[in-house]
């Protein structure tokens, strides 16, 4: 049992699937649970995807909890067509995996956050890779957890580059900008792994072929899932050179911060109509000491990709 404990908060699409694999493969942390979110698909679909992928990787003992089904400022959620184009209608590249044997947990994802924060304290790492609705709700229910949790490394936002939804908005923050602002302006120790670094970290079919060549169920499935994503990046003209490793980069950085260079800032998220979902430094706090957000602005992409491939390929060999 590793000392460090990790919770993933996923709207399980393709790069979330790769984040699960990275968390399972990493030797220096225990994945103690997944909290489901909406985003790449509906909440229930994302939750079932997480269970399916965990079973594919022989991780039937990892619980999956339901988070909240829509943003903190709306009463429903509809999947955007572009999400289906990128992640497939089922969220995982339209690859058909067996129905999971393990049911979802009865405890809510919000309550699981609070329980884990009190149990593990500074040893707890939380990785939100979708909207931050669940974490914001947990903070609202029990503000004390902001001073208990060891680190929150989230995939979201863009500081030095444009957004991928609008000129300023990145998709995860755009789903619930108010919740993101609640998290960023809290006392939580945060690391932002945004488009600034994830768009530099690309995977190609050369790498997925290595998984396919393993001849295992997991290798085949993850190659198929990821190839769908690579094709979507190409066909939608997102990037012709490969797919971005958005969510698994956040997992990697949480365990090895030296993968990235960061700047320290107090951040905020704009959530009025003008510049909605922009992640930006708070000019009113520029001279305050001890900023709570480390913003990744550069990445050692070659070393990260080598680590990513080593961990995942060895995992897929076994399943």
């Amino acid at each position: 049992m590793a000392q460090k404990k990790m919770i993933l908060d996923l709207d399980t699409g393709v790069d979330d699937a790769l984040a699960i694999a990275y968390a399972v493969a990493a030797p220096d942390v225990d994945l103690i649970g997944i909290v489901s979110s909406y985003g790449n698909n509906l909440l229930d679909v994302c939750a079932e995807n997480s269970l399916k992928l965990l079973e594919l990787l022989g991780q039937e003992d990892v619980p999956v909890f339901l988070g909240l089904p829509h943003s903190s400022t709306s009463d429903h959620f509809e999947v955007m067509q572009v999400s289906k184009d990128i992640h497939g209608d089922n969220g995982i590249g339209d690859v058909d995996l067996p129905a999971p044997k393990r049911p979802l947990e009865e405890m809510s994802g919000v309550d699981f956050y609070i329980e884990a924060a009190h149990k593990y304290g500074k040893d707890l790492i939380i990785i939100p890779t979708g909207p931050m609705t669940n974490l914001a709700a947990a903070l609202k229910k029990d503000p004390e957890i902001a001073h208990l949790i060891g680190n929150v490394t989230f995939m979201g936002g863009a500081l030095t580059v444009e957004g991928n939804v609008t000129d300023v908005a990145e998709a995860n923050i755009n789903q619930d900008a108010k919740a993101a602002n609640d998290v960023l302006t809290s006392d939580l120790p945060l690391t932002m792994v945004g488009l600034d670094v994830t768009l530099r970290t690309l995977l190609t079919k050369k790498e997925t072929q290595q998984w396919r060549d393993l001849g295992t169920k997991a290798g085949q499935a993850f190659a198929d899932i990821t190839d769908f994503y690579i094709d979507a990046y190409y066909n939608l003209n997102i990037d012709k050179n490969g797919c971005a490793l958005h969510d698994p980069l956040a997992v990697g950085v949480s365990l090895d911060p030296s993968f990235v260079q960061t700047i320290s800032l107090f951040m905020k998220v704009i959530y009025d109509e003008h510049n909605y979902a922009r992640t930006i430094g708070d000019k009113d706090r520029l001279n305050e000491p001890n900023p709570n957000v480390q913003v990744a602005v550069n990445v050692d992409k070659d070393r990260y990709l080598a680590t990513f491939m080593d961990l995942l390929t060895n995992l897929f060999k076994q399943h």
Side-chain angles (χ1 to χ4, degrees), residues 162-177:
E162 304 97 327
N164 56 3
V165 176
T166 69
D167 285 347
V168 297
E170 180 276 328
N172 291 333
I173 306 296
N174 192 67
Q175 296 280 16
D176 193 345

Side-chain angles (χ1 to χ4, degrees), residues 114-121:
I114 293 167
E115 180 184 88
H118 284 274
K119 184 173 181 181
Y120 296 111

Side-chain angles (χ1 to χ4, degrees), residues 10-14 16-17 20 34 37 40 46 49-50 53 90-92:
L10 309 176
D11 56 333
T12 304
V14 176
D16 309 76
I20 291 174
I34 293 175
S37 187
N40 293 321
C46 294
N49 285 346
S50 291
L53 291 160
N90 73 348
I92 46 174

Side-chain angles (χ1 to χ4, degrees), residues 232-254:
Y233 264 63
Y234 190 90
N235 296 331
L236 296 169
N237 211 22
I238 299 169
D239 197 316
K240 300 284 191 188
N241 299 305
C243 68
L245 293 174
H246 298 294
D247 298 351
L249 181 58
V251 179
V253 169
S254 77

Side-chain angles (χ1 to χ4, degrees), residues 103-289:
L104 295 166
E105 302 304 302
E106 290 187 10
M107 177 187 275
S108 75
V110 170
D111 287 339
F112 176 59
Y113 268 150
I114 293 167
E115 180 184 88
H118 284 274
K119 184 173 181 181
Y120 296 111
K122 296 301 178 197
D123 288 330
L124 181 62
I125 301 166
I126 292 175
I127 318 277
T129 67
M132 289 203 263
T133 312
N134 299 320
L135 186 53
L139 278 171
K140 186 175 180 182
K141 188 169 183 178
D142 184 358
E144 187 190 349
I145 66 170
H147 303 107
L148 299 175
I149 294 165
N151 179 258
V152 175
T153 300
F154 68 94
M155 191 280 126
L159 182 66
T160 63
V161 296
E162 304 97 327
N164 56 3
V165 176
T166 69
D167 285 347
V168 297
E170 180 276 328
N172 291 333
I173 306 296
N174 192 67
Q175 296 280 16
D176 193 345
K178 184 181 183 304
N181 185 63
D182 290 346
V183 171
L184 265 64
T185 57
S186 74
D187 290 337
L188 279 166
L190 297 155
T191 301
M192 174 172 141
V193 178
L195 299 180
D196 316 80
V197 286
T198 63
L199 291 176
R200 303 173 197 242
T201 316
L202 299 175
L203 197 73
T204 72
K205 288 190 177 179
K206 185 179 132 204
E207 284 84 31
T208 59
Q209 187 62 45
Q210 294 175 38
W211 299 342
R212 201 179 296 286
D213 291 345
L214 296 171
T216 62
K217 279 185 185 173
Q220 177 77 42
F222 271 87
D224 289 346
I225 289 167
T226 311
D227 281 354
F228 182 99
Y229 195 56
I230 293 169
D231 288 340
Y233 264 63
Y234 190 90
N235 296 331
L236 296 169
N237 211 22
I238 299 169
D239 197 316
K240 300 284 191 188
N241 299 305
C243 68
L245 293 174
H246 298 294
D247 298 351
L249 181 58
V251 179
V253 169
S254 77
L255 298 171
D256 184 355
S258 71
F259 281 132
V260 291
Q261 292 173 300
T262 62
I263 55 175
S264 300
L265 283 172
F266 287 106
M267 297 284 289
K268 65 180 181 180
V269 182
I270 297 169
Y271 59 94
D272 58 19
E273 212 168 302
H274 180 64
N275 280 344
Y276 182 81
R278 184 183 185 190
T279 47
I280 193 70
D282 185 348
K283 69 179 187 302
D284 294 333
R285 304 186 70 186
L286 281 175
N287 289 317
E288 288 185 29

